[in-house]
Amino acid sequence: MNKLILTTAALALAASAATAADVIRMGTEGAYPPWNLIDDNGEVGGFERELGDELCMRAELTCEWVTNDWDSIIPNLVSGNYDTIIAGMSITDERDEVIDFTMPYTPPDPSLYVAMEEGVDLTGGVVAAQTGTIQAAFVAESGATLVEFPVPEDTVAAVRNGEADAVLADASFLQDAVKADSELMIVGDPVALGGGVGLGLRESDGELKAKFDAAIQSMKDDGTLNELIKKWEVSSLW
């Protein structure tokens, strides 16, 4: 019995040591430019790739990047497929009931409506949004008919092909879409949603959260975070 207890304790200590030395897997979508994207070399790029690499360096963590579809990104964090979500995820009370968040690394990014013409009915028409986003929840409560898509680009395509009257999404994403297509235009007023964007973590990973919080704060303090935000034009500055 004593041998069994000692063996179990040794395994627990070994597992703890292994966890401390594990690579931190950074989970992102890779489909939401300029926040995150897949570059011409097939690698994760964008604002959050640069940010994540800097945070890992400051926190003295070894990190690798993993992509996951948006609609399963929280369940697969909870199940252990990766260790963080760094994917333009707004901090909300509903999400905070399931996972934990670091302090925000960007202020809230206003949401915009984009359509093919002015005067579209934003409260009684058909509005597209990405599945599982704060924009989808807002549209569902606004009186408009919500059509959801798993990939951000498909929400814009729905407006182009007439499936939706407008799309609601983060300003930084839609402003790039409008620049690329002269037939698209911003309509209506900006909508303030969410409490800023942070890294999502499992609620049991308090030590990892503390390391990332310290790294984020250090980037705020020395101005590096504002430099990245300005470079990628993802939100207002701190």
Side-chain angles (χ1 to χ4, degrees):
M1 177 63 73
N2 287 340
K3 288 183 178 180
L4 177 59
I5 293 173
L6 288 172
T7 301
T8 303
L11 288 173
L13 287 171
S16 177
T19 300
D22 277 349
V23 170
I24 302 301
R25 296 157 297 173
M26 308 285 276
T28 193
E29 184 182 16
Y32 203 60
W35 294 82
N36 54 82
L37 52 92
I38 302 300
D39 64 22
D40 293 338
N41 297 318
E43 300 291 331
V44 173
F47 164 71
E48 285 169 317
R49 175 60 192 263
E50 281 200 53
L51 172 65
D53 286 347
E54 180 68 20
L55 292 176
C56 288
M57 183 186 72
R58 291 182 184 225
E60 299 182 344
L61 298 169
T62 301
C63 298
E64 66 180 22
W65 289 84
V66 179
T67 57
N68 193 94
D69 291 341
W70 177 263
D71 58 1
S72 60
I73 202 164
I74 289 179
N76 284 341
L77 168 72
V78 174
S79 65
N81 290 13
Y82 34 83
D83 303 299
T84 73
I85 296 173
I86 178 166
M89 181 170 282
S90 295
I91 300 168
T92 67
D93 291 340
E94 293 79 9
R95 289 169 178 160
D96 201 30
E97 291 178 358
V98 182
I99 61 174
D100 204 354
F101 284 96
T102 62
M103 68 172 64
Y105 50 78
T106 68
D109 183 22
S111 296
L112 298 177
Y113 288 100
V114 161
M116 296 286 285
E117 60 184 8
E118 295 180 0
V120 297
D121 188 353
L122 300 177
T123 58
V126 179
V127 178
Q130 188 179 11
T131 303
T133 60
I134 55 176
Q135 290 84 9
F138 178 83
V139 172
E141 296 178 358
S142 70
T145 299
L146 170 66
V147 287
E148 296 180 274
F149 297 88
V151 180
E153 284 80 0
D154 289 348
T155 63
V156 178
V159 175
R160 291 194 184 103
N161 64 29
E163 189 175 352
D165 300 311
V167 53
L168 182 67
D170 289 331
S172 53
F173 171 69
L174 287 180
Q175 284 167 344
D176 283 350
V178 170
K179 288 177 184 177
D181 187 341
S182 60
E183 294 186 344
L184 294 173
M185 64 184 69
I186 296 169
V187 297
D189 296 322
V191 181
L193 299 172
V197 175
L199 275 82
L201 305 101
R202 288 180 290 274
E203 292 187 333
S204 58
D205 286 341
E207 183 178 347
L208 185 60
K209 176 183 182 296
K211 290 181 178 180
F212 277 120
D213 275 341
I216 293 168
Q217 188 61 56
S218 73
M219 290 187 69
K220 289 180 179 180
D221 292 343
D222 67 15
T224 309
L225 189 50
N226 273 343
E227 290 176 8
L228 277 183
I229 291 172
K230 186 175 181 179
K231 172 183 175 179
W232 289 98
E233 298 181 341
V234 292
S235 73
S236 58
L237 302 179
W238 287 107

